[in-house]
Amino acid sequence: MSRRKIRFKINGVEKTVEVEPNKTLLWLIREELKLKGTKKACERGDCGLCTVLLNGEPVKSCLVLAVEVDGSDILTVEGLAKNGELAPIQRAFIEHGATQCGFCTPAFLIVGHWLINRNPNPSREEVVEAINGLLCRCTGYKPIIDAILEAAKYMRRT
Amino acid sequence: MLPKFEYYSPTSLSEALDLLEKYGEDAKIIAGGTDLLVSMRDRILKPKCLIDIKKIPELRRIEYKEGVGLTIGAAVTFKDILEYPNLEKKYRVLWEAVKTIGDMILRNRATLVGNICNASPAADSAPALLILDARARIINKNDGVREVPLERFFIGVKKTILKPTEIVKEVFVPEPPANCYGKYVKVMRVQSEDLAVVGVAGLAYRDRGDLIIRLAYSSVAPTPIRVKEVEEVFKKKNMSLDEKIEEAVKISSEKVSPISDVRGSAEYRLNLVKVATRRLIKELVEVV
Ligand SMILES: Cc1cc2nc3c(=O)[nH]c(=O)nc-3n(C[C@H](O)[C@H](O)[C@H](O)COP(=O)(O)OP(=O)(O)OC[C@H]3O[C@@H](n4cnc5c(N)ncnc54)[C@H](O)[C@@H]3O)c2cc1C
Ligand code: FES
Ligand code: FES
């Protein structure tokens, strides 16, 4: 199995690494780059907790091959805060207690961030639709939905 | 961990066909990978070589031509379909079915052609495609394109007529009948993300005043199926509409052959087929 050289940008930083074709994007992020915010759980597309932005769109990174991201731009939860300042979505999650055990939080932050940047005035239904592929076993989703709506308000103010 | 394989990402269709010719049974096409990578992880499939078709521009094409129909290339995602202008109106039943598949994040990657090539009995896009008379355009290195009606494409659970050296280049969905109304009903265990316990697609329109109804099902037979026999019932002259609906429900429930699995028992599924079919026809008839 031949290794492949891939180049990509992750959280604004250019990287070049060699990977085997049978490695996933999730593996690349967690094991090669040691960015452990993105979670590994079901590894079959069901839980959505491995979600990151690939060229600006959310994908479940356990179902993307690392070799496929050659030339791409990736955003993980570690790339949300800028110069030590939390992103609007992160502030809103803290204020709404949208985190309990925290295992699902990175995925919800990424999808919430994606949604409010695309649509700074989402309806509750649009938020529910956006997070439909993500599982949380603690919060019952309400504080998460409230936090995303609140973060959208921050976005509209700035 | 996935089993080991070589990975190719050809940028032209001819390159992809050459690779398939070379590797044959050992190769698998990867589009969105949402079925394939799960099966490989479970070691159900262990291809020696994966051919990624997402970098082939020709396969990314989705195009509707008024009066002709809709062409959906093999690398077109469900997201691309939902965002294509006017499809919600023109191809309502297909659009609705696509909207039920997985979730928004999954639909960013998963393709319609992957959905039919995977040939799960639960493939949600299949019933709508069947009643819209969709055809698969299949290509291999030596023989050019052949066009196969979707009804003949599925041959068993996860089995299609595709040969190892063939690719489905695109699916073609002809212009729907004028003023038709279609709907997809997906009965699920939960109000969220799941495969269907039973899926029913219906299309109704009038042909010189006569009511025409088409029905197709997922998750109730080894393959998605269209029940053409019901179409004859609605052409009959000496029956009331209610009698025709009951006759159609009876025929459909005889044509399906559900099994029991984690999502429901065969008996429950059969009952759902009857209930969903009856309700769906009544709703369609009210509109057309
Ligand atoms: C969390 C989750 C939820 C899901 N929910 C649903 C659902 O609600 N409804 C539903 O129907 N499905 C669902 N699926 C299944 C799957 O997402 C769909 O079947 C999807 O359409 C497959 O498309 P793909 O592009 O990912 O296919 P891939 O996984 O890339 O390919 C599937 C199969 O088809 C073959 N293939 C792909 N393209 C071609 C081609 N052009 N020519 C020849 N062979 C080809 C591949 O070799 C492979 O065997 C779900 C899957 C997951 C992981
Ligand atoms: S780990 Fe990727 S969806 Fe669960
Ligand atoms: S906070 Fe625990 S899973 Fe969501």
Side-chain angles (χ1 to χ4, degrees):
Chain A
M1 192 169 56
S2 36
R3 292 167 77 84
R4 281 221 176 186
K5 188 183 266 187
I6 55 169
R7 286 188 60 179
F8 54 93
K9 217 188 214 179
I10 184 160
N11 302 331
V13 183
E14 291 273 1
K15 297 268 178 194
T16 306
V17 299
E18 276 198 6
V19 287
E20 292 173 311
N22 70 337
K23 295 295 195 286
T24 62
L25 173 58
L26 177 60
W27 178 91
L28 178 72
I29 292 168
R30 285 183 57 88
E31 308 307 325
E32 177 73 27
L33 304 173
K34 304 287 181 216
L35 294 170
K36 303 281 184 172
T38 305
K39 296 298 181 252
K40 171 176 144 178
C42 71
E43 287 192 275
R44 49 193 316 118
D46 287 325
C47 72
L49 301 190
C50 61
T51 300
V52 300
L53 299 191
L54 178 61
N55 297 324
E57 294 294 327
V59 297
K60 299 182 181 185
S61 64
C62 67
L63 294 184
V64 177
L65 296 174
V67 284
E68 291 184 62
V69 307
D70 189 24
S72 303
D73 196 344
I74 300 156
L75 182 74
T76 71
V77 69
E78 289 87 351
L80 287 180
K82 291 266 149 49
N83 307 318
E85 199 172 312
L86 295 181
I89 190 78
Q90 290 170 306
R91 279 193 278 136
F93 265 61
I94 294 169
E95 270 158 44
H96 280 266
T99 279
Q100 284 185 32
C101 78
F103 195 74
C104 68
T105 308
F108 281 98
L109 287 174
I110 279 290
V111 174
H113 175 80
W114 168 82
L115 178 68
I116 63 177
N117 276 282
R118 198 170 145 270
N119 172 9
N121 201 1
S123 64
R124 205 174 180 87
E125 289 67 42
E126 283 167 330
V127 174
V128 171
E129 160 88 18
I131 63 171
N132 192 24
L134 309 180
L135 293 181
C136 172
R137 298 287 79 165
C138 305
T139 64
Y141 301 104
K142 187 178 176 297
I144 293 177
I145 296 165
D146 290 342
I148 296 173
L149 289 167
E150 182 78 12
K153 269 192 217 154
Y154 300 164
M155 294 287 290
R156 296 201 292 276
R157 255 184 251 136
T158 53
Chain B
M1 267 281 268
L2 296 167
K4 290 180 190 268
F5 54 84
E6 295 295 334
Y7 171 82
Y8 296 94
S9 51
T11 51
S12 73
L13 192 54
S14 63
E15 231 182 297
L17 293 173
D18 284 344
L19 283 165
L20 270 185
E21 195 68 26
K22 182 171 160 206
Y23 285 95
E25 301 261 1
D26 290 334
K28 275 274 170 198
I29 303 281
I30 177 166
T34 61
D35 277 315
L36 184 68
L37 295 180
V38 174
S39 305
M40 286 173 61
R41 216 183 147 263
D42 293 345
R43 301 292 195 274
I44 294 166
L45 292 173
K46 285 189 213 165
K48 292 207 179 82
C49 152
L50 289 193
I51 304 168
D52 186 350
I53 56 170
K54 289 190 287 296
K55 295 209 172 79
I56 305 174
E58 185 179 358
L59 301 185
R60 300 209 64 109
R61 188 170 75 109
I62 170 164
E63 189 182 19
Y64 169 67
K65 276 209 191 101
E66 179 94 45
V68 181
L70 174 67
T71 307
I72 302 170
V76 171
T77 63
F78 288 127
K79 175 199 155 134
D80 299 331
I81 295 173
L82 291 177
E83 288 179 352
Y84 194 83
N86 294 323
L87 285 197
E88 184 177 359
K89 273 205 201 112
K90 261 280 164 204
Y91 289 89
R92 190 187 138 89
V93 60
L94 180 62
W95 192 91
E96 269 190 2
V98 167
K99 189 95 182 147
T100 71
I101 296 178
D103 57 77
M104 178 274 293
I105 306 173
L106 188 93
R107 293 191 298 263
N108 278 338
R109 300 274 300 173
T111 65
L112 177 129
V113 172
N115 194 226
I116 66 154
C117 289
N118 191 58
S120 158
D124 278 307
S125 71
L129 291 171
L130 284 168
I131 55 173
L132 290 167
D133 290 326
R135 311 196 279 269
R137 290 186 177 146
I138 301 171
I139 185 165
N140 71 13
K141 185 173 154 65
N142 304 313
D143 310 316
V145 179
R146 64 180 174 127
E147 215 177 66
V148 176
L150 217 56
E151 274 191 86
R152 284 201 269 117
F153 182 78
F154 302 116
I155 52 178
V157 178
K158 300 229 160 189
K159 286 203 179 70
T160 69
I161 55 155
L162 280 182
K163 298 188 194 100
T165 52
E166 289 180 322
I167 289 186
V168 174
K169 182 173 171 264
E170 57 202 20
V171 164
F172 175 71
V173 200
E175 177 81 20
N179 301 318
C180 67
Y181 182 75
K183 192 177 166 67
Y184 184 59
V185 179
K186 178 173 175 180
V187 185
M188 292 189 283
R189 291 176 298 176
V190 288
Q191 267 246 339
S192 175
E193 192 179 334
D194 198 5
L195 295 180
V197 184
V198 169
V200 197
L203 188 81
Y205 61 100
R206 295 209 176 255
D207 183 18
R208 276 166 260 124
D210 292 337
L211 178 67
I212 313 280
I213 300 265
R214 299 180 189 168
L215 295 172
Y217 298 82
S218 61
S219 297
V220 289
T223 68
I225 54 160
R226 174 166 170 183
V227 181
K228 278 208 160 144
E229 292 80 355
V230 298
E231 293 164 32
E232 297 310 310
V233 174
F234 288 91
K235 291 178 187 157
K236 290 186 183 165
K237 299 284 172 213
N238 50 355
M239 282 167 91
S240 72
L241 182 60
D242 280 340
E243 284 169 347
K244 288 179 185 173
I245 292 175
E246 286 317 308
E247 180 71 10
V249 167
K250 184 164 168 280
I251 292 174
S252 279
S253 65
E254 284 165 5
K255 289 289 166 188
V256 301
S257 48
I259 57 160
S260 298
D261 68 8
V262 289
R263 292 192 174 77
S265 66
E267 192 187 358
Y268 176 55
R269 281 198 160 96
L270 194 60
N271 197 43
L272 278 179
V273 165
K274 293 179 190 165
V275 174
T277 302
R278 188 177 295 120
R279 280 195 196 145
L280 176 60
I281 299 175
K282 284 187 176 161
E283 188 181 331
L284 295 176
V285 170
E286 258 174 39
V287 180
V288 298

